[in-house]
Amino acid sequence: MSRLKRALVALAALAVAFVLTLGGGALWLYSDAEVSTAGAVFTRELAVPPLAESRVDSDGTRVFDLTMQAGETEFRTGMKTPTWGFNGDHLGPTLRAKRGEKVGVRIRNTLGEESTVHWHGMHLPARMDGGPHQMVAPGGTWTPRWTVDQPAATLWYHPHPHGSTEKHVQRGLAGMFLLDDATSARLPLPKKYGVDDLPVVVQDVRFDGEKFDHGHRFMANSGFLGDRTMVNGTLDPYKEVGDELVRLRLLNASTARVYHFGFSDDRRFSLVGTDGGLLEKAVAMDRVQLSPGERAEIVVRMEPGERTVLRSHPQKNYGDFWQTRFNGGDDTFDVLELRAAKSLRPSPPVPATLGELELPDGSDSARTRFFGLRMSGINGRPMAMDRIDETVTRGTAETWTVRNEDGVPHNFHVHDVQFRVLAVDGRRPPPELRGAKDTAFVPGGTTVKLAMRFTGPADPDTPYMYHCHLLAHEDRGMMGQFVVVEKGQRAGTVRTAPSHAGH
Ligand code: C2O
Ligand code: CU
Ligand code: CU
């Protein structure tokens, strides 16, 4: 062979080797991207967050105390992980109040950095919302007050500091806020907290030695994805139950992961509630999908002595092939094992009719708005703290169309209101989107149409947020601001409340 020929052959061999390595690498990355904890062994008893204590003020306000604090948590025997919590080392107590009640929460920030506490799903004045304009300084306090004026529901609370929400939630700042009303009190649904009515706060985690690993996985553009899940801060949790019917209040408190809940034996359950409260009618289902921030209340029937596992199954509507694989759409998690006692207390059947939806149906919308979702921002603009993007008139209903424009998994959350999902890609939404919602999944290629009513109060200077609840996206600016004004009034200048140090 000539010198040239030999050189060409060597070059070709190199090229082949290069392509093979690349291909092999891609294949390895692709198959490595799938995570499954199916078949997990459940070794720890599920922790149930305590109900927060409260006192009633002279003016009838129910007042809670929440202290944001740093600590450490022994998720695994002998290993202490640095964590944050409310009134404890990790997560927070369950707050509970009734419709019509005046509530106040005295928040103390003992962390080394500023943060906020937002009431996700709550209808309340913008100044009390706990968004990025209501920062609480280190060592500071903040005491929002409002009157609960919405149906019974499973809401939650978490920090909302612009740019670092993912980190604050991941470290453990999250808790449930349950609302009750006359309907929920009357209905014979399971309601013994921690017994047959269980808070199920689901988060995915990954550990790096003793510490949490907050790193984003290669190619995962949805944000942080863990390699295992915990419920109420318990890894590999089981719960012994003693009633025929058990109600699970599912909260996806993960920062980027979407779950597709069902059971390991594919048993059916009754879906009774969504983000903003009870459905009109219970629906028999075997799967319910929840993206970050969303909730579902389900009731599952147990036979004496049996066990079943709440499992998150792979999902079909996650966008394209690559987005699905690299953002967790193919993953499986065994989340929580339910262990039924040898004999079970009888439960009344799930009532066929539940709540009443207090939601507009789109027919009286005063106007429509469009929101295009991209990683780079909503409607082409990243969040700006001093810019009001939308101005809505108090008392009016509106229709908002939200479209995923970049194929990356997103969802859409609106503060202050609950909305009705009118359509998903022009079709009637699935049952889990037919109740009151404040957050909806908007995977690649999807358009959702939402109807909501803004009942105020008006405050032209203090905005509420709408945003993607995949927290890494929110942090980088997939968020916008709206104000509620009186008819004919214009948006003002954004006012950021100074946080108060000391008492
Ligand atoms: Cu759960 Cu704006 O947040
Ligand atoms: Cu919210
Ligand atoms: Cu997003």
Side-chain angles (χ1 to χ4, degrees):
M1 274 200 281
S2 75
R3 242 224 197 112
L4 179 67
K5 244 190 190 158
R6 254 192 316 224
L8 279 176
V9 168
L11 206 68
L14 258 176
V16 168
F18 182 70
V19 166
L20 282 178
T21 312
L22 264 188
L27 195 70
W28 177 80
L29 277 173
Y30 180 79
S31 49
D32 193 53
E34 188 187 337
V35 178
S36 173
T37 63
V41 184
F42 298 88
T43 51
R44 295 179 192 84
E45 194 179 341
L46 177 73
V48 174
L51 286 170
E53 281 169 29
S54 59
R55 53 181 192 278
V56 178
D57 258 11
S58 50
D59 75 339
T61 305
R62 178 174 299 286
V63 182
F64 300 90
D65 281 289
L66 281 182
T67 300
M68 309 170 87
Q69 58 193 78
E72 46 182 31
T73 305
E74 198 172 321
F75 296 105
R76 298 158 300 164
T77 319
M79 300 184 90
K80 296 214 161 100
T81 303
T83 51
W84 286 359
F86 292 99
N87 301 354
D89 290 319
H90 187 242
L91 299 180
T94 298
L95 274 57
R96 192 152 201 171
K98 289 190 186 64
R99 186 170 199 171
E101 233 174 353
K102 286 188 281 189
V103 297
V105 190
R106 195 167 161 279
I107 288 157
R108 231 159 40 97
N109 178 5
T110 71
L111 303 169
E113 56 184 282
E114 54 180 2
S115 191
T116 76
V117 183
H118 164 60
W119 318 103
H120 182 126
M122 196 79 73
H123 169 53
L124 78 189
R127 282 179 304 121
M128 308 301 173
D129 190 40
H133 295 287
Q134 290 89 36
M135 298 299 280
V136 190
T141 60
W142 178 58
T143 309
R145 289 164 177 273
W146 69 93
T147 300
V148 175
D149 185 18
Q150 66 192 92
T154 301
L155 311 183
W156 67 301
Y157 60 95
H158 63 80
H160 218 297
H162 185 41
S164 29
T165 296
E166 181 190 45
K167 199 175 69 184
H168 286 216
V169 173
Q170 229 166 31
R171 288 179 177 172
L173 293 175
M176 274 192 179
F177 201 138
L178 306 184
L179 299 182
D180 304 299
D181 66 6
T183 308
S184 68
R186 174 176 51 79
L187 287 172
L189 286 168
K191 56 179 79 150
K192 292 177 294 231
Y193 181 80
V195 179
D196 63 357
D197 181 359
L198 305 175
V200 179
V201 180
V202 184
Q203 296 175 302
D204 59 339
V205 277
R206 196 169 57 221
F207 291 97
D208 172 13
E210 304 223 304
K211 295 198 301 265
F212 280 144
D213 177 357
H214 298 302
H216 291 187
R217 213 161 67 184
F218 184 75
M219 299 271 290
N221 51 15
S222 59
F224 169 83
L225 293 173
D227 56 9
R228 60 198 296 190
T229 53
M230 55 186 183
V231 178
N232 305 340
T234 310
L235 291 167
D236 303 319
Y238 65 84
K239 174 72 183 166
E240 279 160 8
V241 294
D243 294 87
E244 285 175 351
L245 293 183
V246 180
R247 176 190 198 166
L248 303 178
R249 297 180 187 253
L250 305 171
L251 159 63
N252 181 350
S254 302
T255 56
R257 190 172 281 288
V258 180
Y259 299 100
H260 193 206
F261 290 114
F263 287 89
S264 49
D265 51 15
D266 288 329
R267 74 181 53 199
R268 290 167 88 73
F269 51 82
S270 300
L271 177 75
V272 297
T274 53
D275 299 345
L278 296 168
L279 294 171
E280 291 178 300
K281 287 184 177 359
V283 191
M285 323 253 298
D286 61 4
R287 294 286 188 274
V288 57
Q289 187 178 40
L290 296 181
S291 68
E294 290 184 278
R295 289 87 65 208
E297 295 185 32
I298 65 171
V299 177
V300 59
R301 175 171 294 278
M302 301 295 294
E303 300 296 334
E306 73 166 349
R307 294 181 177 190
T308 189
V309 174
L310 177 71
R311 174 175 287 175
S312 177
H313 299 266
Q315 26 220 327
K316 294 272 171 304
N317 63 339
Y318 213 87
D320 70 32
F321 182 76
W322 292 100
Q323 297 293 353
T324 302
R325 172 55 62 109
F326 287 105
N327 288 303
D330 291 328
D331 296 352
T332 305
F333 290 97
D334 272 3
V335 175
L336 169 68
E337 185 178 57
L338 296 177
R339 300 181 177 174
K342 294 253 152 42
S343 82
L344 296 173
R345 286 179 289 268
S347 307
V350 173
T353 356
L354 302 166
E356 220 175 281
L357 297 186
E358 301 175 14
L359 299 169
D361 61 5
S363 61
D364 63 343
S365 286
R367 61 171 291 178
T368 61
R369 294 177 205 264
F370 175 82
F371 300 87
L373 305 182
R374 287 174 191 271
M375 290 271 265
S376 50
I378 298 176
N379 288 345
R381 297 186 295 198
M383 159 84 174
M385 289 282 284
D386 58 359
R387 185 189 69 229
I388 292 169
D389 298 281
E390 310 290 338
T391 302
V392 308
T393 305
R394 189 177 71 82
T396 63
E398 298 201 353
T399 299
W400 288 15
T401 299
V402 184
R403 186 165 74 210
N404 182 318
E405 291 184 333
D406 65 3
V408 176
H410 298 300
N411 71 9
F412 194 72
H413 169 51
V414 187
H415 285 208
D416 182 48
V417 294
Q418 293 291 329
F419 50 74
R420 184 194 296 264
V421 181
L422 298 174
V424 176
D425 289 334
R427 284 185 294 274
R428 185 175 185 222
E432 67 256 50
L433 299 181
R434 286 184 208 152
K437 296 288 295 172
D438 54 52
T439 309
F441 191 34
V442 192
T446 303
T447 302
V448 297
K449 222 169 144 191
L450 319 170
M452 61 202 92
R453 190 183 311 281
F454 300 89
T455 55
D459 181 346
D461 303 319
T462 314
Y464 295 103
M465 308 293 128
Y466 54 84
H467 58 91
C468 175
H469 215 289
L470 276 64
L471 299 181
H473 295 179
E474 174 190 335
D475 282 343
R476 34 180 290 180
M478 277 194 74
M479 179 153 71
Q481 313 198 93
F482 71 96
V483 288
V484 177
V485 300
E486 294 296 352
K487 191 167 196 275
Q489 202 179 22
R490 307 178 95 185
T493 316
V494 179
R495 204 179 49 208
T496 301
S499 103
H500 305 284
H503 303 265

